[in-house]
Amino acid sequence: MRIRDSASAVVVAVAMGIWAGLAGVGVAQNEVIKRPFHQWTKTEALGVLNESPWAVTQEARIDLGKEVRKIAGAPVVDGAYLTAELGGANIAVDYRVTLRLRSALPIRKAIVRLKQIEAKYDQMSEKDREVFDAKTKGLLDCPGCTQNYVITISCKSTNYPGTDCLYDGLRGATLPVIKPYIHILNDRGEQREPIHFVPPKAPNEESIFFFQRVDDEDRPLLTASSKKLIFRFSDNNAKAITNFEIDVSKLILDGKVEF
C-alpha cells in the first residue's frame, strides 16, 4: 500500500473483513511446553511460535482497486482523512496477520530455540553454549516483560511475498499517533493503552507494543478468572483482520495466566 500522508501523520488502522480466522491449537502442544525448550525440534518450536494459544493468525482477501479508500480509524489532519491508494489493478491479495503474545514465556523460548537450532547449539562445546546463552539471555528473560504485556503484530501475503498491509502505515508511526487507536482489554471492558511502541523496520517484520500489566490500584488486566483478551486496532470495524480475541483459559499454566 502507498499511504497518502498529510504533514507527519500516518495511518494507524486498517479495516479489512476477515474471510478466515486461524486460532492456534497445536497438537499435543501442552506436552511440548512441559519439556525443556532446548529439547524442542524445529517443528515444535515453530508450532509454539505460530500454532499455539499464544499466537493467532487471521486471513483476509483484499480486492485492490483503482479507487482511493479511506482507512478506518485513520486520524483527521487538516480536515482530511488519511487514505491509502490500493493499487492500479483489481488484483486479490491474500493477507495473513499474526498476533503473538511476546511476553509469554513459551513464545520467548520458541524464538531462542530457533536461534539455537540455526546456530547448531546442540553440537556446540560447553564453553560455546555458555557464550551463546549469554547472548540470548536478554531475549529469554525479557526484563521489559516484568511490568508490561508485550504484543507483536505482523502481516504477510500468501500470494504476493513482501507485500505488507501494515508496514506503510506503521513504519513512521509514533506512540502519540497510535495511542488513541490501539488498546487491549479484558472481558470486563477494562483496558490498557500502549506505553511504548517499536515500528517495523521492513515489510513483514513485527511491530511491537507494550502495555502496563497493572493499573493505578496494582490490579493486572488478566487473571485466571478472565475469559478474553481483546486486541483492538480498529474500533470502526470489530471484524477487521487487525482485531483479535484470545481465550484466556488456554493461556493458563500452573494456575496462572502465562502472558
Side-chain angles (χ1 to χ4, degrees):
M1 290 185 185
R2 181 163 58 86
I3 304 302
R4 289 191 173 182
D5 205 336
S6 177
S8 60
V10 293
V11 62
V12 296
V14 180
M16 298 180 289
I18 299 172
W19 66 275
L22 307 177
V25 285
V27 178
Q29 198 69 229
N30 287 340
E31 295 304 316
V32 173
I33 297 298
K34 290 177 182 178
R35 287 177 18 230
F37 77 93
H38 64 265
Q39 296 179 3
W40 295 354
T41 65
K42 182 176 181 178
T43 298
E44 289 170 338
L46 286 171
V48 172
L49 198 59
N50 296 307
E51 299 177 354
S52 73
W54 297 274
V56 181
T57 295
Q58 296 180 157
E59 295 188 349
R61 173 169 292 176
I62 311 303
D63 291 324
L64 305 184
K66 294 181 179 180
E67 73 275 14
V68 175
R69 306 175 188 176
K70 184 178 71 176
I71 298 177
V76 178
V77 180
D78 298 332
Y81 281 94
L82 264 173
T83 57
E85 194 165 322
L86 302 181
N90 230 358
I91 302 172
V93 180
D94 293 343
Y95 286 112
R96 291 170 59 91
V97 176
T98 299
L99 178 140
R100 294 189 179 95
L101 305 185
R102 179 65 175 268
S103 50
L105 185 57
I107 291 292
R108 289 182 274 135
K109 286 181 175 180
I111 294 171
V112 172
R113 181 52 179 158
L114 289 173
K115 289 182 178 294
Q116 288 181 347
I117 293 171
E118 183 179 2
K120 295 181 170 40
Y121 180 88
D122 298 349
Q123 287 78 50
M124 289 182 182
S125 65
E126 184 175 346
K127 183 177 180 180
D128 287 341
R129 287 188 184 185
E130 290 177 356
V131 172
F132 183 94
D133 291 343
K135 290 181 179 179
T136 57
K137 179 176 174 58
L139 176 58
L140 188 62
D141 293 347
C142 188
C145 299
T146 304
Q147 301 296 327
N148 302 291
Y149 297 115
V150 185
I151 291 177
T152 67
I153 188 169
S154 60
C155 175
K156 294 183 179 181
S157 171
T158 55
N159 57 349
Y160 283 86
T163 302
D164 186 336
C165 67
L166 297 176
Y167 173 66
D168 281 345
L170 288 173
R171 60 177 173 174
T174 61
L175 181 62
V177 171
I178 70 166
K179 199 169 184 177
Y181 304 98
I182 297 176
H183 55 273
I184 58 174
L185 62 155
N186 58 26
D187 50 282
R188 298 184 300 276
E190 300 166 342
Q191 71 178 50
R192 301 281 191 276
E193 296 178 340
I195 62 168
H196 183 56
F197 164 63
V198 180
K201 296 180 175 62
N204 306 146
E205 284 195 1
E206 292 178 317
S207 300
I208 309 174
F209 304 89
F210 293 74
F211 305 85
Q212 284 187 325
R213 287 186 177 274
V214 299
D215 60 16
D216 294 338
E217 297 181 8
D218 206 33
R219 297 177 302 184
L221 182 70
L222 301 176
T223 66
S225 63
S226 298
K227 296 179 181 179
K228 290 182 181 180
L229 167 65
I230 302 165
F231 179 89
R232 282 285 177 264
F233 203 109
S234 172
D235 283 328
N236 289 2
N237 182 357
K239 294 184 178 181
I241 191 177
T242 49
N243 290 340
F244 291 81
E245 289 191 6
I246 294 175
D247 184 348
V248 175
S249 69
K250 296 180 180 179
L251 308 180
I252 305 295
L253 290 179
D254 300 323
K256 297 190 301 183
V257 178
E258 179 50 62
F259 170 38

